[in-house]
Amino acid sequence: MAGSAGLALCGHELVVRGGSRLLATSTSSSDDDSLFIYDCSAAEKEAQEHKGEDGQPVDKGSDTVLASTFSTSGSYFALTDDSKRLILFRTKPWQCLSVRTVVRRCTALTFTASEEKVLVADKSGDVYSFSVLEPHGSGKLELGHLSMLLDVAVSPDDRYVLTADRDEKIRVSWAAAPHNIESFCLGHTEFVSRIFVVPDHPELLLSSSGDRTLRLWQYRSGRELHCCHLPSLQEPTEPWSNKRFAASRITYWRQEDCVALLFDGLPVVCLFQLDVPRRQLVYQQQLTFQHRVWDAAFEEARGLWVLQDCREAPLVLCRPVGGQWQVFRSSSQSLPESAVSKRVCAHLRENWAMLEGEDPPWPALQGHVQPWARADAGSRARNAAGSCSVGEGAGPVVGVVCVSASASGQQSCCEPGPGWFP
C-alpha cells in the first residue's frame, strides 16, 4: 500500500509502518513480546556522486516508506522509500538482507508467488524485478506503461503480471515474456488505485478506481463480471457524498470470502461478500470509526485489524458476531485476543511519533483525494485533544445493509440501501 502509515499481516507477523520506520511484532497469543524496529533514515545510502541504474544521479529523499508488502508465506518482507531504495528483510527471525537502489520512486511492489523475485512499480510506469535469492543483485526492467503505475500484482501461478495505471487501464502481461499482453481490463473511467487477485479464486481480480467503483473481473479474458457503484450506497446528505475518492486498500478473508474496502482519509471500512458461483459482490456492512482509518488487514485466525489515527486505541480488532461485524477495543475483555491487542497497542503508543501527523496517501494524486483528508481534519483535532475512543460506549457504530444483485452477474451494480454512512 502506498502512503506513510500502513499495516501488513501475514500469519502471526504484523508490521506497522509510519514515516521512515517500521515496527514488527507478533499477534501470537504466546508470551513472545519481541519487537523489531527498523528506521530507513539509518539505512545505508548511496553517495551523491553515485548514479542509479538509469545512469542519472541519485537525489536525496525523505526516507519515508512509500510501499511495503509480505511475501506469500510471510518469510520475506520488502519496502521502498522516498530515497529510492528497496529494502529486503527475512522475517524468521527479522533481519535486513539488503538495501538496493531503484531507478525512480516506487508506487507499489509485490513478491512473485515463488518468492524468487520482488516486482517494483514506479511513477514513470515501469516494473523492475529484483532477485530475492540473490539479495544484492541489480534490478531488471520487465515492462512499462506510458503513465504512472499505481499498483502491481501477480497471478498465484506466477504466469501473469497485472498492472494498474493512472490512465484507467489494467494490463495483464505474460510473466515469462512481459511484452506479450494477454488482455486489458477496460471499463474504469478514472485512475485505477488498487488491484487484487483473489487467492482462493485465482481467475478473479478485484479493482478500485477514482471513478468510485469496485469491479470484479475475469482478468485473463478482460471480462468485467460485476460493477459496484459506491456512491449509490451513500447517504446524499453526507459531507463527502459529492467528493472524489479512491480505495487505498482491498483486503480479503478466505474464511468467509469477505472483501474489505478502505478509502483514503475516511473513518469507514466497507465489507462485501464475494459470491463466487454468481460472480458478483454483495454489499454487507459498513464499520464506522470516530477517527481516520489509516489501513486495515485480515488475520485469518481472528478477523479484521484496523489501524486508526487514535493514540489510545491505534489498533482495533473487528469480528463477525451473530452475523454482524463488530469493533472491539483493546480494553474489552469480551474476547480472548484482548491481551494480544493490548500488547500491540502498547508498542504503537510507545512509538506513536512515527505515525502522528502523517499526510494522506497518494501524494501524486492529491488533486483527487485531498478533499477527503480535509474532511477528516476535525477528527484529527479531536484526537490531539484526547478524544480517542473507537465509539463512545462499549459497542461499535455500524450500519448494515444486505442487498441482492441480479442473477446474471453481468455488469450488475450493488443496489443502494439506507444507512451506509450513518
Side-chain angles (χ1 to χ4, degrees):
M1 175 177 181
S4 292
L7 173 68
L9 269 164
C10 190
H12 292 301
E13 297 293 332
L14 180 147
V15 171
V16 175
R17 60 177 173 84
S20 65
R21 306 176 74 194
L22 72 83
L23 181 154
T25 187
S26 173
T27 62
S28 173
S29 299
S30 68
D31 294 332
D32 181 15
D33 196 24
S34 59
L35 184 67
F36 175 80
I37 297 176
Y38 187 88
D39 193 336
C40 293
S41 64
E44 60 187 83
K45 295 186 179 181
E46 295 282 343
Q48 283 207 336
E49 63 269 21
H50 288 185
K51 298 180 182 296
E53 293 179 5
D54 59 354
Q56 299 300 313
V58 178
D59 61 318
K60 278 187 77 174
S62 67
D63 301 319
T64 298
V65 179
L66 300 179
S68 62
T69 190
F70 275 105
S71 65
T72 305
S73 70
S75 298
Y76 297 98
F77 185 83
L79 65 83
T80 61
D81 69 5
D82 192 58
S83 292
K84 299 182 183 178
R85 290 173 299 189
L86 170 66
I87 304 177
L88 178 66
F89 300 88
R90 179 186 291 119
T91 65
K92 301 171 184 177
W94 277 89
Q95 177 190 2
C96 178
L97 297 179
S98 66
V99 179
R100 287 176 278 191
T101 302
V102 296
V103 176
R104 297 173 185 86
R105 289 179 177 86
C106 300
T107 53
L109 75 166
T110 188
F111 285 86
T112 58
S114 66
E115 303 188 352
E116 295 179 355
K117 298 178 182 178
V118 182
L119 300 182
V120 177
D122 65 33
K123 65 179 184 178
S124 69
D126 294 331
V127 173
Y128 285 80
S129 65
F130 290 82
S131 174
V132 173
L133 305 180
E134 298 178 4
H136 296 281
S138 299
K140 174 187 175 184
L141 178 63
E142 297 287 353
L143 59 89
H145 283 232
L146 295 178
S147 65
M148 178 188 293
L149 288 178
L150 300 182
D151 208 359
V152 60
V154 294
S155 61
D157 59 6
D158 276 342
R159 291 183 62 190
Y160 302 102
V161 177
L162 296 87
T163 45
D165 68 23
R166 193 169 57 178
D167 289 342
E168 310 159 10
K169 297 187 300 297
I170 301 170
R171 183 198 294 181
V172 182
S173 307
W174 293 8
H179 57 278
N180 288 326
I181 299 173
E182 179 75 8
S183 67
F184 285 96
C185 298
L186 303 176
H188 285 296
T189 59
E190 291 279 356
F191 62 92
V192 182
S193 59
R194 284 285 168 260
I195 54 175
F196 181 83
V197 178
V198 183
D200 288 346
H201 311 286
E203 75 282 6
L204 300 179
L205 173 74
L206 292 164
S207 67
S208 60
S209 166
D211 62 13
R212 301 189 292 178
T213 63
L214 175 64
R215 301 185 190 227
L216 180 67
W217 308 83
Q218 193 171 49
Y219 61 86
R220 282 195 60 186
S221 64
R223 179 187 175 200
E224 182 180 304
L225 302 174
H226 186 79
C227 172
C228 181
H229 289 277
L230 301 174
S232 68
L233 305 176
Q234 299 181 35
E235 285 289 340
T237 57
E238 293 300 330
W240 46 75
S241 59
N242 294 321
K243 304 292 185 181
R244 288 186 177 184
F245 63 89
S248 56
R249 169 77 79 180
I250 301 174
T251 186
Y252 173 74
W253 198 27
R254 291 178 168 179
Q255 287 190 21
E256 304 287 341
D257 278 331
C258 181
V259 177
L261 194 63
L262 170 67
F263 305 99
D264 289 316
L266 288 183
V268 297
V269 176
C270 297
L271 300 168
F272 297 81
Q273 184 77 30
L274 177 58
D275 187 341
V276 177
R278 291 188 174 186
R279 295 294 200 259
Q280 64 187 19
L281 292 159
V282 179
Y283 174 61
Q284 287 192 315
Q285 183 177 340
Q286 174 222 318
L287 299 175
T288 302
F289 301 80
Q290 288 191 346
H291 307 277
R292 180 171 60 147
V293 175
W294 276 321
D295 206 351
F298 281 108
E299 182 182 9
E300 287 299 322
R302 289 186 171 88
L304 183 68
W305 289 99
V306 176
L307 179 67
Q308 62 172 353
D309 187 4
C310 172
R311 183 166 186 164
E312 292 306 312
L315 193 67
V316 294
L317 179 64
C318 307
R319 293 188 58 170
V321 177
Q324 295 186 17
W325 284 79
Q326 295 188 15
V327 182
F328 294 89
R329 289 180 290 176
S330 60
S331 57
S332 171
Q333 299 300 322
S334 57
L335 287 176
E337 290 85 357
S338 60
V340 174
S341 181
K342 284 181 179 179
R343 173 166 52 80
V344 177
C345 284
H347 288 318
L348 293 179
R349 283 191 291 269
E350 291 170 1
N351 295 274
W352 187 251
M354 76 178 192
L355 296 172
E356 196 170 34
E358 297 297 343
D359 291 331
W362 300 101
L365 299 172
Q366 286 182 359
H368 293 285
V369 301
Q370 190 66 20
W372 295 99
R374 290 196 295 267
D376 194 50
S379 173
R380 292 175 58 79
R382 289 192 298 273
N383 183 36
S387 174
C388 294
S389 60
V390 173
E392 297 303 326
V397 183
V398 297
V400 183
V401 180
C402 293
V403 299
S404 60
S406 64
S408 66
Q410 297 292 320
Q411 304 285 337
S412 55
C413 295
C414 293
E415 297 297 325
W420 194 69
F421 284 116

